[in-house]
Amino acid sequence: MNKTLPANVFHYLEKKSYKDWQLEWEEVSGIQAVIVVPAISEYENIKRLLISLIKNDSASLEKSLVIFIVNNSVTADDEIRRDNQSTIEFLRQIIHGKSNDQLSKDILESGLRIGLIDASFEGKEFGEKLSGVGLSRKVGMDLSLTCFDYSTQNKKIIISLDADCIVEKNYLQEIINSFETKKISVANIEFEHNLSESGIHKSGIISYEIFLRHYVAGLLFAKSPFAFHTVGSTVVCDHDAYITTGGMNTKKAAEDFYFLEKLAKHYKIDRIFNTKVKPSSRESWRVPFGTGRTMMELSSNKKEILVYDPDIYLIIKNWLELSYSDLSVNIELLLAEAKKNHFELFNFLIERKFTQDWSKILENSKSVRQLDYQRKNWFDAFETLKLTHYLRDKAFPMMDLFSGTKKFFQIANYTPKFDLENVNNNSVDDLLLLLDEMRTFEFQLHEEMNQ
């Protein structure tokens, strides 16, 4: 291990990182931002991603490194292995300046640095038990810590991205400037699914993004500290936040959800709205749920996209107000008020053994700060989702996109720009109007929460 690393970085890597994989890159000083990109059978997508990245300004590119973790499991088929080997050969030629194709020349001339972690070669493959996006992100993020220029006081920024995304030409500049000037520790980048891809289920991906934004807007309305998007390609944090919270997990799916949940217990999750990531709208077998899997289920008519009844958000809002009020030190009064809020909220708390847990928390919390942390620790992002699903199953069934959004706007006293009465649920144009409205609504709620 490099002895010149800061003590906290050195100790983290000694205790928390895997030692089975190495980073290949031409080491330089001055690296401030590292983009970590898992890649499995993504040869063509990686080219598109790099084309979009090198359109960023040269000053940002020269202090940025993109690490590709080219990986497959020991049971991967030959097609995946061939694609991965093509990717590795392509990236190695760029790293060592030996490629003569135009894209490679453009990348080299841009100043952007490329790094490679080969988790595809025999003996370096991911074991079947852990193989997946979580391990890939963790390996890349951990090794990113060895690349930063720690001689400067600048923020050292770890950026999570996916191989099938494209980014805007101000992507790196906005991230670096936001972290530097606003002293951000963790952030979501604004996103917009790529609708220009061929062969996609356009109404499906628009509906899915409405669903995602509806839920996050609901948590913003409720003033939850866990109102963030769990889209892996939008997550950014600095190296201190990464180390403090114990780094990325190795889950095969939902790794971004659990990573952000952990970060949100210690840091505010900011939003960067002035640039966008454009995730792919394709179908994908790579994870058991999320965008790609949802698109597969839509194509096979196994899924209809609905939204939560906004009354659920209202109950969460009232519960958060109660749990952060002075009543929280009196369990009996707190539960009585929770029952007034909604009987199924009371039932949920009893089933989840809130009384026993909260009694221990009150007994062991010696300060307001400790109690505030325990509030977030008990009613965290996963518990919030559990309550949402409990209320959905017990009292508030899912609603169609337009009626569920209309009801939400009414509860929040928000006036949309277009008429939600006369719409066609199957019209792509109407769905696009609704998505645009949801983006505006979500932004407004975010601004109100942060005033």
Side-chain angles (χ1 to χ4, degrees):
M1 191 65 64
N2 188 341
K3 300 295 183 182
T4 64
L5 294 173
N8 65 333
V9 175
F10 177 81
H11 291 308
Y12 169 84
L13 291 172
E14 283 291 295
K15 293 179 180 179
K16 299 281 190 178
S17 68
Y18 291 91
K19 309 299 190 294
D20 305 298
W21 296 277
Q22 289 76 44
L23 174 64
E24 302 173 36
W25 73 302
E26 294 292 327
E27 294 189 30
V28 294
S29 61
I31 297 298
Q32 183 180 0
V34 179
I35 305 168
V36 176
V37 185
I40 176 170
S41 192
E42 299 279 16
Y43 180 57
E44 294 300 332
N45 284 325
I46 282 172
K47 292 180 180 180
R48 283 189 284 271
L49 171 60
L50 287 170
I51 288 169
S52 70
L53 273 169
I54 62 175
K55 293 177 182 175
N56 280 249
D57 69 288
S58 58
S60 298
L61 290 171
E62 287 172 0
K63 51 190 172 187
S64 300
L65 167 69
V66 188
I67 297 177
F68 291 97
I69 309 91
V70 183
N71 68 95
N72 52 252
S73 71
V74 292
T75 59
D77 63 36
D78 289 341
E79 184 179 352
I80 290 172
R81 293 174 184 276
R82 282 193 297 270
D83 190 283
N84 279 350
Q85 289 311 305
S86 296
T87 300
I88 289 168
E89 183 180 347
F90 170 70
L91 295 173
R92 278 201 177 121
Q93 287 179 344
I94 296 173
I95 290 169
H96 300 298
K98 294 181 179 179
S99 180
N100 293 318
D101 68 272
Q102 190 58 50
L103 175 57
S104 298
K105 289 179 180 177
D106 291 342
I107 293 166
L108 289 167
E109 289 174 4
S110 75
L112 178 67
R113 307 290 173 173
I114 303 293
L116 167 65
I117 297 170
D118 183 353
S120 180
F121 183 72
E122 186 176 353
K124 294 296 183 181
E125 303 148 304
F126 288 164
E128 192 61 33
K129 186 176 180 181
L130 279 181
S131 66
V133 67
L135 178 59
S136 188
R137 289 200 203 281
K138 176 174 175 55
V139 169
M141 289 178 167
D142 284 358
L143 284 172
S144 76
L145 295 170
T146 67
C147 304
F148 292 117
D149 187 344
Y150 293 104
S151 69
T152 73
Q153 296 300 309
N154 294 331
K155 285 270 190 178
K156 283 70 181 175
I157 307 166
I158 302 172
I159 303 169
S160 177
L161 195 57
D162 289 328
D164 60 356
C165 294
I166 56 174
V167 301
E168 295 187 326
K169 62 183 180 180
N170 64 339
Y171 175 74
L172 285 168
Q173 185 179 41
E174 285 295 333
I175 291 173
I176 293 169
N177 287 348
S178 294
F179 271 72
E180 286 291 349
T181 60
K182 299 177 184 177
K183 302 305 176 187
I184 289 173
S185 294
V186 187
N188 270 151
I189 310 300
E190 179 63 329
F191 71 98
E192 180 180 299
H193 280 100
N194 188 357
L195 300 179
S196 64
E197 293 175 289
S198 61
I200 63 171
H201 192 309
K202 188 170 284 190
S203 63
I205 193 62
I206 297 167
S207 299
Y208 182 64
E209 189 173 322
I210 291 168
F211 164 79
L212 294 177
R213 293 186 181 279
H214 196 280
Y215 182 62
V216 170
L219 297 188
L220 286 167
F221 172 75
K223 300 195 182 304
S224 167
F226 301 101
F228 46 70
H229 283 287
T230 56
V231 178
S233 54
T234 70
V235 182
V236 186
C237 67
D238 66 28
H239 86 288
D240 281 325
Y242 184 78
I243 291 169
T244 298
T245 53
M248 176 55 74
N249 57 76
T250 58
K251 293 184 180 296
K252 290 193 175 187
E255 83 297 336
D256 40 15
F257 176 90
Y258 290 104
F259 183 49
L260 278 166
E261 177 185 62
K262 190 165 55 169
L263 287 163
K265 292 179 181 181
H266 298 273
Y267 300 92
K268 175 187 173 186
I269 309 295
D270 281 280
R271 293 285 293 274
I272 298 175
F273 287 103
N274 294 331
T275 192
K276 292 188 185 77
V277 175
K278 294 189 176 181
S280 173
S281 302
R282 66 178 178 172
E283 299 176 17
S284 178
W285 46 266
R286 289 165 177 78
V287 290
F289 49 84
T291 304
R293 180 65 62 169
T294 300
M295 292 306 102
M296 286 181 70
E297 292 173 351
L298 280 168
S299 293
S300 58
N301 297 314
K302 291 181 180 178
K303 190 178 187 75
E304 179 186 6
I305 295 180
L306 304 170
V307 293
Y308 298 113
D309 187 325
D311 280 338
I312 292 173
Y313 307 144
L314 196 55
I315 291 169
I316 295 172
K317 182 178 190 295
N318 292 335
W319 165 243
L320 286 170
E321 289 172 357
L322 276 173
S323 64
Y324 279 82
S325 73
D326 293 340
L327 281 178
S328 63
V329 297
N330 187 317
I331 295 174
E332 289 184 4
L333 286 177
L334 183 61
L335 286 174
E337 289 300 315
K339 186 182 284 189
K340 290 179 186 177
N341 184 0
H342 198 279
F343 188 68
E344 293 299 350
L345 169 63
F346 172 79
N347 285 341
F348 174 81
L349 295 172
I350 298 302
E351 286 188 22
R352 299 298 296 160
K353 296 182 169 43
F354 174 77
T355 303
Q356 298 93 309
D357 291 347
W358 198 245
S359 295
K360 292 177 183 176
I361 287 169
L362 289 175
E363 184 180 338
N364 295 320
S365 296
K366 307 302 182 185
S367 67
V368 173
R369 183 177 178 181
Q370 283 182 321
L371 189 57
D372 279 347
Y373 174 76
Q374 291 301 334
R375 286 182 173 110
K376 285 195 287 187
N377 202 40
W378 192 89
F379 195 64
D380 59 15
F382 193 32
E383 203 69 21
T384 302
L385 187 60
K386 286 179 184 175
L387 174 57
T388 300
H389 288 173
Y390 186 92
L391 293 170
R392 173 200 65 191
D393 295 340
K394 297 290 185 179
F396 301 99
M398 301 291 279
M399 303 179 69
D400 73 76
L401 292 172
F402 286 95
S403 60
T405 304
K406 179 183 175 184
K407 181 176 180 179
F408 193 2
F409 289 164
Q410 289 171 342
I411 288 174
N413 294 316
Y414 175 81
T415 303
K417 295 190 294 290
F418 79 105
D419 183 10
L420 286 173
E421 294 292 344
N422 301 304
V423 291
N424 180 351
N425 288 28
N426 297 315
S427 165
V428 171
D429 289 339
D430 283 352
L431 285 168
L432 279 170
L433 286 170
L434 184 61
L435 175 55
D436 184 60
E437 201 67 62
M438 278 305 305
R439 288 171 177 155
T440 302
F441 178 54
E442 184 189 345
F443 176 78
Q444 180 175 307
L445 288 171
H446 178 270
E447 293 301 291
E448 290 172 0
M449 187 172 177
N450 289 280
Q451 284 178 352

